[in-house]
Every structure is written in C-alpha cells, then in structure tokens.
Amino acid sequence: MARTVAERADILPLLGEVFREHGYEGASLAHITARTGLGKGSLYHFFPGGKEEMAAAVLAEIDGWFEANVYAPLRADEDPAAAVRDMLARTDTYFRSGRRVCLVGVFALGEVRDRFGAAVASYFARWRDALAAALTRVGLPSAQADDRAEEAVLAIQGALVLARALDDPAVFGRTLERLGRRLLDGL
C-alpha cells in the first residue's frame, strides 16, 4: 500500500512508532518502509542522514511536544497547581494511558544512548526542573520540590515499564492518580 506523504513531518509519527516497537537497533529499513509506505529513495529524500537523522527528528518532535504541552506550562502557568494537574492529564493522554512506551526512555536504555545522550538527558532534566519550578511556586521549599519532581518523573517512567511488563495499562493510571495526590499533598 503506497502512501502519499506531503511533508517530512507527516512521517515522524510513523517513524516514532517503529522505534517504539523495535528500538533503534531493531528498526530496520524493512520495518520503516513497511510502516511509512515509502521506498528507500523517498525516505532518504526526507532524511539524507538515514536512520540516525530519522531518530533525531523523532526525538526533536517529542521534545517539541513536551516543551509546548508540559514544560512551558509548568514553568509559566499562573496557577502552578493546575499546571501540575494538566501535566498529569497530558502525560496520560500522550502515553495513551500506559499503552505506549516512552521512546526517549527506550533510547536512554539502549545501545544508542550515547549517540542521543544530550537529547535524552535534556528531556528528563527539563521535565524534572519544570515540575520542580511549579512545585516551588505552589509553596514547597526548593529542596522538597526538587525531590518530588525527581520522584514524579521516575514514577511515570517506571509505571510505563511496569504497565508494559505486566500488560496492565491500569498500572499507569493508578500511578498518575497517586502522583497527583503526592505532588500537591499539604499545599
């Protein structure tokens, strides 16, 4: 089945799912062409740097989504408690209620970690720091806000792994509910 792709951006979600399913190492050209419906020539037209450029573009797209929908609101929303609740809701939606693995996490744990280390580290650090900033604005002392933010990012990522390992997406939802209570507890 041939697909018509108007722009490079149309391909990125499809590539993201290939990398989620197979990891970087397992994302063969056969998997990529099957998912996108594009031939090798078309793929290299959009991504002359090959699979590495494809992965970098997917990570950049993910980063842009999280910057716009999670980090920036946490840093700037006039109601930081609402921003924290929105972060949890948007995280739930993005990861499809625990049915979708975190591609950045996949890259962090794979052999490709060093190749994309800066992007991976930035994703997690900016999430932690933006959440800590919101928690500080809500009234938590800085050290406590830092601790809760780090624990929250850890819990989200761990819940994604556990939900996948147990084939029980509800694990993710329960984790987000608990996080909502713990993050804003006593504030």
Side-chain angles (χ1 to χ4, degrees):
M1 163 178 100
R3 273 180 223 243
T4 303
V5 177
E7 296 183 29
R8 175 180 151 136
D10 296 339
I11 304 167
L12 295 177
L14 302 170
L15 290 173
E17 293 310 312
V18 172
F19 289 125
R20 275 185 183 85
E21 291 170 14
H22 302 285
Y24 181 82
E25 294 84 3
S28 67
L29 192 55
H31 291 305
I32 293 169
T33 58
R35 179 60 63 90
T36 64
L38 297 173
K40 184 177 176 181
S42 294
L43 285 169
Y44 281 101
H45 166 75
F46 287 116
F47 303 97
K51 186 165 77 168
E52 187 167 340
E53 184 178 346
M54 293 176 203
V58 168
L59 287 173
E61 179 188 49
I62 292 167
D63 184 75
W65 188 92
F66 273 85
E67 178 60 40
N69 292 283
V70 176
Y71 313 151
L74 284 169
R75 288 191 302 262
D77 196 305
E78 291 182 21
D79 183 350
V84 170
R85 288 188 291 276
D86 283 349
M87 175 205 75
L88 294 169
R90 289 175 181 185
T91 298
D92 187 44
T93 299
Y94 182 83
F95 291 113
R96 297 183 187 141
S97 300
R99 290 177 179 85
R100 186 182 203 201
V101 298
C102 176
L103 181 57
V104 180
V106 169
F107 279 23
L109 299 174
E111 293 176 23
V112 74
R113 189 224 174 281
D114 292 338
R115 187 175 296 162
F116 300 105
V120 168
S122 175
Y123 169 86
F124 289 114
R126 288 180 20 245
W127 194 346
R128 179 199 60 208
D129 296 347
L131 180 53
L135 294 172
T136 300
R137 289 193 337 274
V138 170
L140 277 179
S142 182
Q144 193 174 7
D146 291 345
D147 286 347
R148 283 192 192 181
E150 186 171 273
E151 288 173 7
V153 174
L154 174 65
I156 289 167
Q157 294 299 312
L160 287 169
V161 171
L162 188 59
R164 177 80 172 212
L166 298 176
D167 194 23
D168 181 5
V171 167
F172 189 67
R174 289 191 303 269
T175 299
L176 293 180
E177 286 177 24
R178 284 190 299 269
L179 274 176
R181 290 189 301 270
R182 280 200 312 250
L183 285 172
L184 300 170
D185 187 38
L187 301 175

